[in-house]
Amino acid sequence: MRLARLSLALIASSLVAMVGLATFGAWTLGEVREHQQELDQLTHLQVRLDDLSAASDALLLSSATASAYESFQREARAVQDALAQRADTDPAAEQAVGAIGEMLALADRYAGPGSASLAEREGGQGALGVPREMAEVMSRMAALGGELDSAMDAMLRAHFDIENRALYVAVLGFFGAALAFALLSLAALGLLHRRLGAPVGRLAAVVDRVAGGDEGARADVSGHDEVARLGAGLNAMLDRQAATHAQLAERERMLAESQRIARIGTWYRKLGTDAYVWTREAYRIFGHAPNSFRPSSASLYELVHRSDRANVEALHATLVEGEGRGEGRFRIVRADGEIRHVQLYGERLHDENGRPMSVSGTVQDVTELVEAHDAVGRQGELLEMAGRMASIGGWSVDLGTGEITWSDTVCEIHDEPPGTRPTPQAALAYYPPEHRPRISRAMERASAEGTPIHEELQIVTAKNRRVWVRVVGEPVRDTNGVVVAVRGAIQDIEAEKQAELELEKLAHTDRTTGLYSRDGLVRMLQERLDAGDTSPSAILASLDLRELRNVNEAHGYAVGDALLGAVGRRLQARAGPGGLVARTGGDGFAALVPSEGPPGDVVRMLVGRSDGMFADPFHVAGVELTVAMRVGYTQVSHQSRDAEALLRESEISLHAAKHGVNANGQAYTEALHEATRARVRLVQELGAALEQEQFVLHYQPQVDLTTGRLVACEALIRWQHPERGLVPPGMFIGVAEQSGRIGPMGSWVLGEACRTLRNWEDEGLDPVRLAINVSVEQLRDGDFVRDVRASLARHELDPGALIVEITESVFAYESRELRAQLHALHELGVQIALDDFGTGFSSLAYLRDYPFDRIKIDRAFVGSLPEDPFGRSVVTSVLGLATSIGAHTIAEGIETRAQRDALLRLGCSVGQGFYFSRPLEQAAFRRLLVARERLPLDRQP
Ligand code: C2E
Ligand code: MG
Ligand code: MG
């Protein structure tokens, strides 16, 4: 119901109630008045009856005149009539009518005209001397008077009864009506409060909140009445206001943004005040924070560079009192002391009556512009200087006359006095013979075809010095396009060339040993092969110094480096002048050894236990060191292979030697070649395997050693080969790493692991954490962290659920980026575990710099427990180490209960191994999760 209708209804019902009440009042009043009249009549009747009985007594006592009797009679009849009218309703009236009738009859007989008075009729005397008849009549008359009195009383009483009842009803009715009216009013007021008072109160509260700054306050707009419409209107207004605010804020942001990009700030000052308003960019330009600096004339003046203050004052005067428009460029001193150039523009604004109102304008940081401008001013000067410093000079050849002109700098380069003008032959003679054809050809082509010249070659100066120069030149054409001259520059690039050569040498030299580097060897060998300088029976050997790591760790890198140098020198001595020796890697060497005899002899000579060149110990830095070398080699032979291929063959052989095929030196064979080819095939198959989804992940539980409860699991890849069946990772991870296939494979592992984890979580299973193995190569690709972040996000996983296991090889490639990536992963919340600890390159120094959360003790140590004291002390040390870097320790490869018990005794409480469970297929592992079983399943822990 609308409020208007409600109020109309309320008014109508009030009117009806009022009319009802008035009618009731009027009726009651009428009733009262009627009863009053009745009472008056009765009282009057009573008086008349009293008079009548008095008159009747008088008539009896003294004989009346005819007229008195008549008036008595008239009166008596009139009273009788009056009473007769009441006789129907009142028995007392009827009784009175009878009494009056009898009264009239007595009067007629004893007092009427013609009748003798009582005294006359009665002769006998009564007791009091009154005649007897008269006494009887008198007493009857008196009795009649008494009857009339009591009838009258009864009538009055009856009247009073009726009147009381009526009054009672009236009063009751009135109170009832009043009460009803009051209730009605109360109900109306209640309704008014509910429909009007409360909503208006709520509306007012909203208005108060808005006034208090709560822009989100909105009125409740249930219903369709006017208050609801008011609320809706208020809301719409507030929404519009909020939208306007948002727009304003957005505009302000955009303005700030565009000012920031354009480096233009805005300022404003109302005239007559000293307060300035600055935009954010203005603050930025002046180098102050908006909440800590109040721009005013005085504070601004302070900001301006001392020498520019007068100019600023002049501009200020122009703006405020003068022309009203102006600009200037000044230096300011920012809060941090930096001096910047700003361009200030200002304008005076007026109100509609033309009165000056404010000044405002822009301020722009033009430092770069000013500096660039200054730089251009100095450019000419600089060019000259650069010319001198870079030893560039100009030259020209007039093709018509053959005249050659040199600038002074060119003369200087040629070690000739200024002004020298050589003949063409003399000019050519400055070049060494082997370079002369090049420069002649270049000159010819420039003259004939207009081809520009660009040559780097040597000249022989007047003092017989060889200097590297760069000669550039361009044809000069006449108006017909005919080349008439060649003009150019010559630059002394000796220093540059030397640096380049030095660099090249560096790239081809190993700095530690002074031997060739791998690249250097390939290059030199190729040169020899090209020149046919190598005997077919020469061998190319790759060697590897097995002890280097131990030496480094035991005696320090300086001794290690010295040893490398000494080994290199022995090798060089053996290889002789016809040989080549290189250090190809950390502990790797390669040597081209000319030989006449069978290659086996050469190898024995190199690495023979008793007669080999390394049989004797080395003495470096006062330390005696015995070393052993492994060697793989190939024969140069008549087959033509390039240097790179030869080196690869010898390296393949060394690789085989390392894996124990032949400790005394491994010759390159077809079989090795075949193995290499097999590796190549494997690489190709791996690529296809990924596309054909032949990889699967198995999951091995990691458990709490005390309770056997699962604390994490490790995902281990397997290759479901169509022919060879399930291939373990050991067979292909290495190849994948070397061939660059590990990147996509690792991404697959990451994605698959995250997908599985998501599924388990969706099923309400709790694998706690999932570890994946990551190769250093994956990290070196550079996108790994991004991949992890994306994968976690795609599968909506908590980063803490993922563990990344990385082996110690990470230290072998120690680099800042690698470390940064691991830190980035760690910061993401992913846990980092150091896998196979103790087998590789770990150095305590490195451990500290990496964010490892877990260290996994390699199974080599765990396997030797409980008997092996070395194993025990390794476990103890790792535990101590892990504690010191705040990491947990996990034992790998627990195969027996005894090993587990030993680990627990040593204080290691988490581990994995076949004792608890082999790596399981996903479905089997899932069953384990569902059953929440403790491990091992068949034995009680
Ligand atoms: P890992 O990371 O050290 O994994 C543990 C290896 O030890 C697994 O071999 C596992 O089957 C084996 N193992 C577990 N408990 C025992 C035990 O009690 N006794 C013995 N003898 N072995 C146990 P697996 O699955 O053959 O994996 C070998 C290695 O291959 C892994 O060593 C890991 O370095 C690498 N690898 C496995 N999956 C991946 C992968 O997805 N990516 C990369 N980059 N490497 C992987
Ligand atoms: Mg692992
Ligand atoms: Mg491991």
Side-chain angles (χ1 to χ4, degrees), residues 17 20-22 24-25 170-186:
L21 212 60
F24 196 78
V171 166
L172 212 65
F174 193 78
F175 272 114
L179 196 68
F181 189 67
L183 282 177
L184 190 75
S185 308
L186 224 62

Side-chain angles (χ1 to χ4, degrees), residues 806-808 834-840 856-859 892:
I806 184 133
T807 65
E808 287 178 304
L834 178 57
D835 207 348
D836 304 343
F837 185 71
T839 55
K856 297 184 77 175
I857 310 178
D858 191 71
R859 66 166 179 268
E892 286 189 280

Side-chain angles (χ1 to χ4, degrees), residues 316-346:
H316 183 256
T318 312
L319 291 180
V320 178
E321 295 143 16
E323 218 176 305
R325 179 191 291 259
E327 64 185 306
R329 185 169 290 180
F330 314 108
R331 278 161 299 171
I332 54 163
V333 184
R334 285 162 53 102
D336 56 10
E338 193 189 346
I339 295 180
R340 306 284 298 178
H341 295 264
V342 298
Q343 180 81 16
L344 203 79
Y345 172 80

Side-chain angles (χ1 to χ4, degrees), residues 697 700 714-718 728-730 733 737 742 746 749 772-775 778 805 807 835-836 856 858-859 892-895 912-915 917 919:
L697 288 184
Q700 187 177 34
E714 176 172 8
L716 295 157
I717 195 168
R718 272 98 184 86
I733 289 287
E737 284 175 349
I742 195 72
V749 171
I772 56 169
N773 291 282
V774 172
S775 295
Q778 283 172 261
E805 293 195 358
T807 65
D835 207 348
D836 304 343
K856 297 184 77 175
D858 191 71
R859 66 166 179 268
E892 286 189 280
I894 306 173
E895 292 186 344
Q912 71 188 85
F914 294 168
Y915 171 68
S917 166

Side-chain angles (χ1 to χ4, degrees), residues 830-854:
V830 171
Q831 298 233 326
I832 317 281
L834 178 57
D835 207 348
D836 304 343
F837 185 71
T839 55
F841 307 79
S842 293
S843 148
L844 297 185
Y846 287 154
L847 266 191
R848 213 188 28 215
D849 297 338
Y850 284 78
F852 291 117
D853 302 289
R854 301 158 162 249

Side-chain angles (χ1 to χ4, degrees), residues 640-718:
S640 73
R641 281 104 82 218
D642 63 9
E644 189 64 64
L646 282 170
L647 188 57
R648 208 177 317 123
E649 285 180 7
S650 76
E651 281 171 345
I652 287 171
S653 313
L654 176 63
H655 187 76
K658 272 188 194 174
H659 290 83
V661 182
N662 186 345
N664 263 331
Q666 173 66 50
Y668 182 73
T669 61
E670 238 341 277
L672 277 183
H673 195 79
E674 177 48 39
T676 312
R677 273 201 294 268
R679 281 162 67 83
V680 172
R681 259 201 314 279
L682 187 65
V683 170
Q684 280 157 359
E685 278 187 327
L686 277 176
L690 200 62
E691 276 163 28
Q692 290 160 20
E693 301 181 353
Q694 290 172 359
F695 293 111
V696 287
L697 288 184
H698 283 192
Y699 300 86
Q700 187 177 34
Q702 294 179 351
V703 299
D704 179 323
L705 298 185
T706 321
T707 61
R709 197 172 281 148
L710 194 97
V711 294
C713 65
E714 176 172 8
L716 295 157
I717 195 168
R718 272 98 184 86

